[in-house]
Amino acid sequence: MLDDRKLAVLRAIVTDYVRSREPVGSRAIVERYHLDVSSATVRNDMAALEEEGYIAQPHTSAGRIPTDKGYRFFVDRLAAMKPLTNAEKRAITIFLTGAVGIDDIMTRTVRLLAQVTSQVAIMAYPTMSTAVVRRVDIVPLTASRGLLIVVNSIGKVAQRYIDLGDTGEEALATLRDRLNHALVGLGPRRAAEVLADFHESVAPEVRGITLGVVASALDILASDEPTKIVMAGINNLSQFSDEFETSIRPVLDTLEEQMVLLKLLGEASGEVTVHIGQENEHANLSSASVVATGYGVDDTWAGLGIVGPTRMDYPSTMASVRAVARYVSRILAEG
């Protein structure tokens, strides 16, 4: 464990290096952080930190930079995430307000997250299999043709054409109301079980159309679309190209691998997690950091986060990721 002064020195090195991209020397620490000790004392502390693997000297006569271990120690000992400013909170609200449907929400979210963090933002679609039915509608298109619409808890809208026969508007309204009463709040599996015997509970005169509606509803519930990833801010990495150990190419290649990104975000929970450098299982991300968390409503959850160089403003980035996830969760809950 580090004593308070060495921890203060490490925190100063991380903070200054993130801000300036330049190795940090003992004199700068003494002048900027008022530690009430001499430069010689700080140099001794830096030597001890280097020996323990928290900082490194990139070349002779240079200051020090944090290592992955140093960043990890710094992140683990954050007393609290940096609070967002009122302007940042307003920006999130304005950017996401008015999003229509899950696709619009996803696109706006990654664009916003990439903008506020200056990193690559990635976001997984919520798993459809855990979403619940939110609304069912039957919309007549012609005298004998209609549209069955099912909206789930993540805002996904699915529709199928159905044959209405000569069913009147009142009978259709009754059927729609009964479907909503039976299905709203249920997941796909339980909803399918309820639909198996649903046609037997309706009046004989609408049983024929009900069979067609049930078949279409079951088709919607059984459709298992693969989880998708949306991304924004790839160009942001170009400003950090000199900070990756070999080149930025391996990181860009990894960002094209859907399954790798799904695994990264699949580990996200309700808490903000940070994987730094070598902590990432994928070798191509050994010089990058991933900050991620979960978002969603009820039992429908997925992950979102950012990928960037290990030299990043962790307090601000973690706060932004958490704030955006909470706002998206609120949108989904209210939708």
Side-chain angles (χ1 to χ4, degrees):
M1 296 295 293
L2 302 181
D3 60 40
D4 290 343
R5 194 180 65 223
K6 289 188 180 66
L7 180 55
V9 171
L10 176 59
R11 186 181 293 113
I13 292 172
V14 171
T15 302
D16 269 24
Y17 182 63
V18 166
R19 178 186 53 80
S20 69
R21 298 194 192 187
E22 296 292 335
V24 183
S26 58
R27 181 178 298 177
I29 293 175
V30 171
E31 292 175 352
R32 290 195 186 104
Y33 294 93
H34 310 293
L35 299 184
D36 294 326
V37 294
S38 66
S39 294
T41 300
V42 172
R43 282 195 296 273
N44 289 336
D45 289 338
M46 291 169 70
L49 289 168
E50 184 173 6
E51 185 176 349
E52 295 182 44
Y54 293 106
I55 59 176
Q57 189 173 30
H59 50 82
T60 306
S61 300
R64 305 303 195 275
I65 64 174
T67 62
D68 290 356
K69 182 179 179 181
Y71 282 126
R72 168 52 59 193
F73 196 89
F74 172 78
V75 169
D76 286 347
R77 279 152 186 79
L78 286 175
M81 295 183 201
K82 179 181 177 182
L84 297 185
T85 65
N86 290 332
E88 289 170 329
K89 292 176 182 177
R90 283 196 302 272
I92 292 174
T93 302
I94 293 171
F95 205 95
L96 295 181
T97 296
V100 179
I102 187 65
D103 293 332
D104 192 19
I105 292 172
M106 301 287 286
T107 300
R108 291 189 187 210
T109 299
V110 290
R111 286 173 55 199
L112 169 66
L113 198 53
Q115 180 177 315
V116 299
T117 65
S118 297
Q119 311 291 355
V120 178
I122 54 177
M123 186 177 186
Y125 271 74
T127 305
M128 300 300 175
S129 60
T130 59
V132 299
V133 177
R134 178 163 285 170
R135 188 173 73 255
V136 180
D137 204 358
I138 300 174
V139 180
L141 300 176
T142 67
S144 60
R145 191 78 163 160
L147 200 62
L148 173 69
I149 301 173
V150 178
V151 182
N152 67 18
S153 56
I154 61 170
K156 183 69 175 179
V157 180
Q159 55 191 34
R160 298 289 187 277
Y161 289 107
I162 54 175
D163 185 5
L164 300 180
D166 57 357
T167 309
E169 291 184 7
E170 185 176 345
L172 284 178
T174 300
L175 178 58
R176 181 190 61 234
D177 292 344
R178 294 198 62 179
L179 283 167
N180 278 284
H181 180 74
L183 301 180
V184 169
L186 301 182
R189 181 175 299 180
R190 179 60 186 142
E193 293 173 354
V194 170
L195 285 173
D197 301 319
F198 182 82
H199 70 284
E200 297 178 0
S201 65
V202 301
E205 59 268 24
V206 293
R207 195 163 291 171
I209 178 183
T210 301
L211 284 171
V213 170
V214 166
S216 295
L218 287 171
D219 183 51
I220 290 173
L221 294 170
S223 60
D224 188 15
E225 298 181 3
T227 302
K228 297 187 296 182
I229 291 283
V230 289
M231 188 183 313
I234 288 288
N235 290 338
N236 286 336
L237 284 187
S238 61
Q239 61 182 310
F240 305 114
S241 58
D242 59 337
E243 298 190 26
F244 295 91
E245 291 180 0
T246 53
S247 75
I248 198 174
R249 188 71 249 173
V251 178
L252 295 176
D253 289 342
T254 300
L255 292 175
E256 295 178 359
E257 297 183 31
Q258 182 107 341
M259 294 308 298
V260 173
L261 298 182
L262 285 174
K263 185 176 181 181
L264 286 177
L265 295 180
E267 299 171 353
S269 62
E271 300 297 323
V272 176
T273 60
V274 181
H275 290 86
I276 301 171
Q278 298 289 340
E279 295 173 357
N280 291 300
E281 292 184 9
H282 201 285
N284 284 353
L285 296 178
S286 61
S287 57
S289 286
V290 179
V291 180
T293 191
Y295 74 94
V297 58
D298 299 325
D299 294 327
T300 306
W301 284 82
L304 63 80
I306 63 92
V307 177
T310 54
R311 188 198 67 83
M312 70 168 62
D313 185 345
Y314 288 99
S316 292
T317 300
M318 292 166 67
S320 296
V321 167
R322 181 181 62 178
V324 170
R326 287 180 174 179
Y327 196 91
V328 173
S329 297
R330 190 158 65 247
I331 290 176
L332 294 177
E334 295 171 352

